[in-house]
């Protein structure tokens, strides 16, 4: 079977959203984090496109989707909805990494009937419980910072030592393309969803995944998140920091695949 990447653009007012789709089958939509863009999923799409239609996107302010209106994350969830309408996708599994978790939760709260399941990777997605404790030192770094290669808190502390070429690639993906606002991290964390609405509407199966060495969204945060969701399961991945999908793609892919088999979404 031949696989062809189909790039596209969706015009939303003055904004042009870049996306790609490839594969055939039940749809999966990948939403990247603050340090990423559609290229972040280069280790997932080739794996999943054999059984699923994979949709990747440069969220507003990232990659090939500059944000002329300055709406940034205020429009991420509605942008996702517009894209699913445009692609005529009625239901899908949504995968959100870090910032992408806010996007998929925001959309799912408005359209729960169109979300077959969600994968929330290293993210609370704007769902904050009273027992969640965040260290000030773990707050997202300014997005215009240029730290030494291998020093980002978005992967395990020893990742650069173990895989210098991949740490370099991660940094390259992060720094290329349009930049979000300098206070992007603060804007993201300011988005908080009502817990009563979360418990009422987010009844679809949800996989909460976290790296054992994640210093930004620690495992106890994700365990607390899962306890607030009606149908959630938690998987903690050893040897990973804040970017399981990048650091341990084989584990990430298998966990997602097993999850979709378990809920009857995979074929």
């Amino acid at each position: 079977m031949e696989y062809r990447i189909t790039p596209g653009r969706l015009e939303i007012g003055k904004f042009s959203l870049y996306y790609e789709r490839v594969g055939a089958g039940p749809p999966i939509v990948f939403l990247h984090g603050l340090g990423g863009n559609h290229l972040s999923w280069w280790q997932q799409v080739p794996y999943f496109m054999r059984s699923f239609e994979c949709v990747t996107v440069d969220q507003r302010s990232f990659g090939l989707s500059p944000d002329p209106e300055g709406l940034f994350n205020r429009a991420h969830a509605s942008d996702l909805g517009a894209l699913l309408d445009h692609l005529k996708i009625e239901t899908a599994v949504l995968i959100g990494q870090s910032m992408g978790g806010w996007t998929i939760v925001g959309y799912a709260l408005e359209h729960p009937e169109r979300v077959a399941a969600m994968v929330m990777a290293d993210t609370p997605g704007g769902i904050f419980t009273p027992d969640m404790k965040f260290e000030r030192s773990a707050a997202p770094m300014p997005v215009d910072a240029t730290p030494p290669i291998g020093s980002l808190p978005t992967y395990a502390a020893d990742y650069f030592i173990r895989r210098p070429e991949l740490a370099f690639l991660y940094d390259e993906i992060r720094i290329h393309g349009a930049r979000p606002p300098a206070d992007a991290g603060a804007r993201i964390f300011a988005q908080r969803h009502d817990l009563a609405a979360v418990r009422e509407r987010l009844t679809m199966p949800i996989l909460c995944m976290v790296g054992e060495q994640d210093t930004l969204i620690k495992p106890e945060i994700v365990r607390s998140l899962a306890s607030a969701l009606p149908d959630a399961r938690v998987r903690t991945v050893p040897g990973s920091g804040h970017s399981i999908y990048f650091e341990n793609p084989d584990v990430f892919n298998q966990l997602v695949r097993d999850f979709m088999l378990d809920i009857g979404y995979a074929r």
Side-chain angles (χ1 to χ4, degrees):
M1 180 177 180
E2 291 186 346
Y3 298 97
R4 296 180 183 273
I5 298 172
T6 303
R9 284 197 172 275
L10 173 61
E11 308 303 320
I12 307 173
K14 298 178 181 179
F15 170 61
S16 180
L17 180 71
Y18 179 80
Y19 66 88
E20 292 182 357
R21 60 198 307 195
V22 62
I28 308 174
V29 186
F30 297 86
L31 284 304
H32 62 80
L34 183 59
N37 53 55
H38 77 280
L39 295 173
S40 298
W41 305 104
W42 63 276
Q43 297 176 100
Q44 280 67 56
V45 173
Y47 177 87
F48 287 104
M49 70 184 184
R50 294 172 289 177
S51 302
F52 301 92
E53 177 185 16
C54 297
V55 179
T56 56
V57 58
D58 282 348
Q59 296 195 78
R60 186 182 290 252
S61 297
F62 297 86
L64 299 175
S65 298
D67 182 18
E69 299 161 299
L71 295 177
F72 185 49
N73 61 322
R74 286 181 292 160
H76 283 171
S78 60
D79 289 345
L80 173 59
L83 178 62
L84 295 180
D85 288 344
H86 174 69
L87 298 178
K88 296 181 171 55
I89 294 176
E90 290 300 320
T91 59
V93 166
L94 306 179
I95 298 179
Q97 162 66 26
S98 193
M99 178 190 74
W102 271 262
T103 304
I104 65 175
V105 168
Y107 176 78
L109 284 171
E110 293 296 323
H111 305 281
E113 74 286 353
R114 296 185 64 179
V115 180
M118 295 197 295
V119 176
M120 298 179 64
D122 298 288
T123 181
I127 302 169
F128 294 94
T129 64
D131 59 330
M132 287 184 180
K133 305 299 181 185
F134 293 89
E135 296 178 10
R136 182 173 298 274
S137 60
M141 63 186 299
V143 295
D144 62 345
T146 54
I149 295 171
S151 66
L152 288 172
T154 46
Y155 36 70
D158 64 346
Y159 188 59
F160 179 67
I161 296 172
R162 291 186 283 114
R163 300 301 305 269
E165 74 286 0
L166 288 180
F168 179 79
L169 177 59
Y170 188 101
D171 287 9
E172 283 288 284
I173 290 173
R174 181 183 68 87
I175 65 175
H176 286 287
R179 288 190 177 276
D183 62 345
R187 293 195 195 188
I188 292 165
F189 268 76
Q191 282 192 328
R192 298 181 173 233
H193 302 295
D194 179 70
L195 278 177
V198 165
R199 293 188 175 103
E200 177 185 353
R201 299 176 189 173
L202 300 189
T203 58
M204 69 288 293
I206 299 176
L207 172 62
C208 300
M209 201 183 307
V210 63
E212 188 177 51
Q213 299 179 48
D214 192 339
T215 59
L216 294 176
I217 307 296
K218 294 185 176 182
E220 54 265 30
I221 299 293
V222 175
R223 287 193 291 268
S224 181
L225 164 69
S227 70
L229 298 168
D231 185 7
R233 59 216 74 185
V234 180
R235 298 292 181 268
T236 303
V237 179
S240 288
H242 188 64
S243 303
I244 304 167
Y245 73 99
F246 199 98
E247 299 169 74
N248 281 298
D250 291 344
V251 174
F252 181 94
N253 295 347
Q254 190 64 55
L255 286 173
V256 173
R257 176 78 180 189
D258 290 347
F259 171 63
M260 292 195 291
L261 283 169
D262 186 52
I263 65 173
Y265 194 74
R267 64 182 187 185

